[in-house]
Amino acid sequence: MSNLQNQFTVHFWGVRGSIACPGSETVRYGGNTPCIEMRVGTERLIFDGGTGLRVLGQSLLAQMPVTAHLFFTHYHWDHIQGFPFFVPAFIKINTFYIYGTIAPDGSTVQHRLNDQMLHPNFPVPLQIMGADLKFVDISVGNSININDEITVETALLNHPGEAVGYRVNWRNYSAAYVSDTEHFPDHLDENVLFLARNADVLIYDATYTDEEYHAEKTSKVGWGHSTWQEAVKIAKAAKVKRLVIFHHDPLHNDDFMDKIGEQVAEQFPNSLIAREGLSIQLSSPLNVINPTQVQAVTRNL
């Protein structure tokens, strides 16, 4: 067995929330919407299908045939809009297990992905995708066993229209992916604490600062997102090893993100601001691969 098959690596392909924001002011952190890839032992797990999924798809073309497990937190557009442009899904030799909850209106993950690709929204229907697509409806609170070593736990998040958070467990390592959730004003979210408990890595939705969230004229209360200050509270309470700030507001440019990074590090030194190309290897100690190194690493995955 190769060394790579004994590793747990988290790679960031899209880190923005709400809408893609390419441009000169977002070069360092990236402008693609959410997509995270986890290489866990022999398996490839993908979380969310924002525009970052298109970029991931391009890298996978050199690694076919591909089998992967694709998990959706929910079906707001910024988390599914990359799926119609995911080239490996159009190629017959590939296989994708696609997981999602049944939405409050009763629609499944297959329905949601299908509907966004119907005319006049998109010229190519989902049925044209040639890969073997295996849709799996999941129930929040239940665990999913990928194989004998990998378990994915789920919990409900506080977000308009509902969203689900994930925790990936493999051997003695764990990574929690908590995107699109809003903290409560008077207590820490027990579901988030459950997912984050003693995790090697917690990836948390910190779209706003506390100042933006509570602004008198432009309050973000009820919008379904959290702040970096709340992320720090969760990380400390759950005793996570590394905190990753994620789902950046498209209005936050690179300089603003630099300042947030400095502020977070003061409160929780073992922290990172998610940026496209960032890779984290879960080992002892945790290793971080800079975006400039990613091309070489990706070729070897």
Side-chain angles (χ1 to χ4, degrees):
M1 182 177 292
S2 71
N3 186 48
L4 288 173
Q5 293 174 331
N6 284 298
Q7 293 182 2
F8 187 156
T9 303
V10 181
H11 186 84
F12 294 82
W13 296 95
V15 301
R16 293 282 170 175
S18 302
I19 189 170
C21 54
S24 61
E25 293 190 336
T26 58
V27 172
R28 294 201 305 276
Y29 289 89
N32 281 302
T33 54
C35 181
I36 291 177
E37 177 191 21
M38 298 188 190
R39 295 299 304 274
V40 189
T42 60
E43 301 289 344
R44 187 189 306 271
L45 282 61
I46 303 168
F47 292 87
D48 279 327
T51 58
L53 183 65
R54 183 195 68 83
V55 188
L56 169 57
Q58 293 300 306
S59 77
L60 294 180
L61 296 179
Q63 304 174 48
M64 297 189 301
V66 173
T67 296
H69 301 262
L70 175 54
F71 294 84
F72 286 92
T73 55
H74 63 308
Y75 310 119
H76 286 163
W77 198 17
D78 54 330
H79 291 254
I80 66 173
Q81 62 194 161
F83 185 76
F85 301 92
F86 185 48
V87 174
F90 290 88
I91 301 173
K92 290 184 178 181
I93 60 175
N94 299 322
T95 301
F96 296 99
Y97 296 84
I98 302 174
Y99 304 80
T101 58
I102 296 177
D105 67 356
S107 59
T108 65
V109 59
Q110 183 174 5
H111 290 146
R112 289 300 181 97
L113 296 178
N114 177 79
D115 288 355
Q116 77 160 338
M117 295 177 68
L118 291 177
H119 181 80
N121 297 325
F122 197 73
V124 179
L126 182 145
Q127 290 72 23
I128 298 297
M129 288 182 161
D132 186 6
L133 305 181
K134 302 178 183 293
F135 293 94
V136 182
D137 296 325
I138 61 175
S139 298
V140 179
N142 291 345
S143 297
I144 302 133
N145 295 318
I146 304 299
N147 58 29
D148 291 339
E149 290 192 305
I150 303 172
T151 300
V152 180
E153 295 177 283
T154 64
L156 186 66
L157 301 179
N158 182 31
H159 191 68
E162 297 186 355
V164 58
Y166 294 100
R167 175 190 173 101
V168 180
N169 302 298
W170 176 76
R171 298 181 182 175
N172 294 320
Y173 301 107
S174 57
Y177 177 54
V178 182
S179 183
D180 289 66
T181 195
E182 183 168 0
H183 58 277
F184 295 106
D186 56 352
H187 66 278
L188 297 180
D189 190 328
E190 291 296 330
N191 287 349
V192 174
L193 288 172
F194 166 74
L195 294 171
R197 67 192 188 280
N198 302 307
D200 293 285
V201 173
L202 166 62
I203 303 160
Y204 185 83
D205 171 3
T207 302
Y208 307 116
T209 66
D210 272 357
E211 293 75 19
E212 291 171 322
Y213 183 79
H214 294 291
E216 183 176 350
K217 294 183 179 180
T218 57
S219 170
K220 302 300 188 295
V221 175
W223 286 34
H225 301 287
S226 193
T227 71
W228 69 259
Q229 289 93 338
E230 293 295 328
V232 168
K233 292 178 184 178
I234 287 288
K236 289 180 177 179
K239 299 180 179 180
V240 305
K241 295 181 177 67
R242 188 183 295 278
L243 170 64
V244 181
I245 299 300
F246 183 75
H247 204 276
H248 312 320
D249 190 305
L251 294 176
H252 291 173
N253 62 23
D254 289 332
D255 291 341
F256 193 93
M257 296 309 306
D258 286 342
K259 292 177 182 178
I260 289 179
E262 294 171 0
Q263 293 172 313
V264 176
E266 290 178 359
Q267 300 296 320
F268 196 87
N270 205 7
S271 61
L272 291 168
I273 305 299
R275 63 176 73 202
E276 290 177 29
L278 174 69
S279 285
I280 303 172
Q281 180 179 311
L282 278 62
S283 58
S284 185
L286 292 176
N287 294 322
V288 177
I289 302 172
N290 294 323
T292 54
Q293 299 173 270
V294 165
Q295 185 175 2
V297 173
T298 303
R299 285 199 297 266
N300 294 324
L301 292 179

